Amino acid sequence: MSSVRPVTETEVPSVGVATEPQLRGNLSMFHLLFAVLAFNAPMAVVVGFIPLVVGYGNGIGAPMAFVAAGVILALFAAGFTTMARHLPNPGGFYAYITAGLGRVVGLGSSFLALLCYYAITLSCYAYFGLVLKPLIHDRYHGPAISWWLWGLALVAVVGVLGYFKLDVSARILSVVLVCEVVIVLVYNASVVSEGGASGFSLSSFTPQAALSGSTGIALLFAILCFGGFEATTIFRDEVRDPDRTVPRATYLFIGMVTLLYAGTAWLLIQAYGTDKVVAATAANPTQSFMDSAAAYSGRVVVDLATVLLTTSIFAAALSSHNITARYLYNLGADGILHKGLSKVHPRQGAPYRASLVTTVTTVLGLAPFVIFAADPTLLYATLSGVFGYALIVLLLVTGVAIPVYLRRTRPSDSNVWKSVVAPVLALTGLAVSLVLATQNFSTLISGSKSLTNGMFALVYGTFVGGVITALVYRRSRPDVYERIGRQ
């Protein structure tokens, strides 16, 4: 064991001595993997995002956009997982950025991360209502229940599950995830067995196809489809042998998502034909996958896919709720927010108070949109865009923090590849992605110029708010300031 030494501005110790119940669980590597994949919502990505990459991105080169995104995040993971072994803190971006770049930037990033996951949580409830309302009323001739009532019903279910230990959520998410992946694979197999529209073409994997159309939008949406892998570190205190489980789950997640989405994108292109797919997906991106599934797999598969789309959104809502609650828990444990948020249930080992606050603030967040009868489609699109943009900012800042931390501390299992080469390559890709995201933010949120400017102000204002809070604490409450990022 290394000797104890003073902590500098940018060095954060891992975990203090426990005097109260701590986060705990018994997740296996596969349960952790499934929990993170469930947040990623594969069915929602396949139905809602892959057609966008094809129709509005780089056309038949869409599979290469997912491969490129996978490579960027695999490079990022080289330093990310190395840092995870030497910073056993379940704070995710918050902990890593604080350790690498200091408490001021770290707290600003924690506020941004909280906004990031809170936005996608609200987005999930709006999307759930949007999907379930027509499914119940139009398909099954049930009552016409408003979208927000379906959303509130889901809030209640997620709130109950969030009270219990993560193992309970993980088991439910595992079942949902397996069903989603099976349906996607059934569709893929159907296209293969039918030989596509006119045989198979490998033209999607040529440089000309990869760089065609709007490469920027393609890469931007592709990276967003990998959202959630950071949760492997947020849940580290609730898994078995986290030093081995977290890296394995992270790499498996990136590999599986890359293969699933690149493969499905390629087969969707083959299903329509390389000469027709761009027009078809651009004309109706939200329905083009389902139309293709009906043609190749039959109506039963489409009905199952529609139902699983709702369960996919449920899984994403539950996962994002759990992540948001754990960010609140970490900020409470560090004394930045009320200490009560760090209370852990003595039997469940879950941050039950932070989970309850997440549920309450979710209801409060949805209330204005219900009262003023806001368009739930715009709500979903805008909040999803805020999540995506904030996520890329956080990845970029973390990408800077990782090599700084690893080069300063020089852990024994780190080398030039993990501490310099891979992080710098990943940082280059993420920097390009942020520029593209900034240029295409109005497309990302499907909004006007004024809405776009407002969302920019929200994202960067939240980060600045965290920075100012840290500076205030440094001057007026140095004891609290010293705890930033320490958990």
Side-chain angles (χ1 to χ4, degrees), residues 53 62 65-67 69-70 73 217-227 261:
V53 177
F66 289 104
V67 172
L73 292 177
I217 290 179
L219 181 61
L220 171 60
F221 278 108
I223 287 179
L224 299 188
C225 292
F226 284 76
Y261 295 162

Side-chain angles (χ1 to χ4, degrees), residues 78-136:
F80 186 72
T81 55
T82 301
M83 198 168 180
R85 285 193 292 271
H86 298 277
L87 195 70
N89 185 318
F93 291 134
Y94 169 40
Y96 294 177
I97 293 171
T98 302
L101 301 179
R103 294 177 174 88
V104 174
V105 179
L107 192 59
S109 299
S110 75
F111 279 31
L112 182 57
L114 196 56
L115 170 69
C116 176
Y117 287 105
Y118 179 65
I120 197 62
T121 302
L122 292 179
S123 174
C124 286
Y125 294 123
Y127 193 22
F128 184 78
L130 279 170
V131 171
L132 200 57
K133 179 182 177 181
L135 176 66
I136 297 298

Side-chain angles (χ1 to χ4, degrees), residues 51-76:
L52 282 174
V53 177
V54 177
Y56 292 93
N58 59 341
I60 66 170
M64 289 302 293
F66 289 104
V67 172
V71 169
I72 290 172
L73 292 177
L75 291 169
F76 178 86

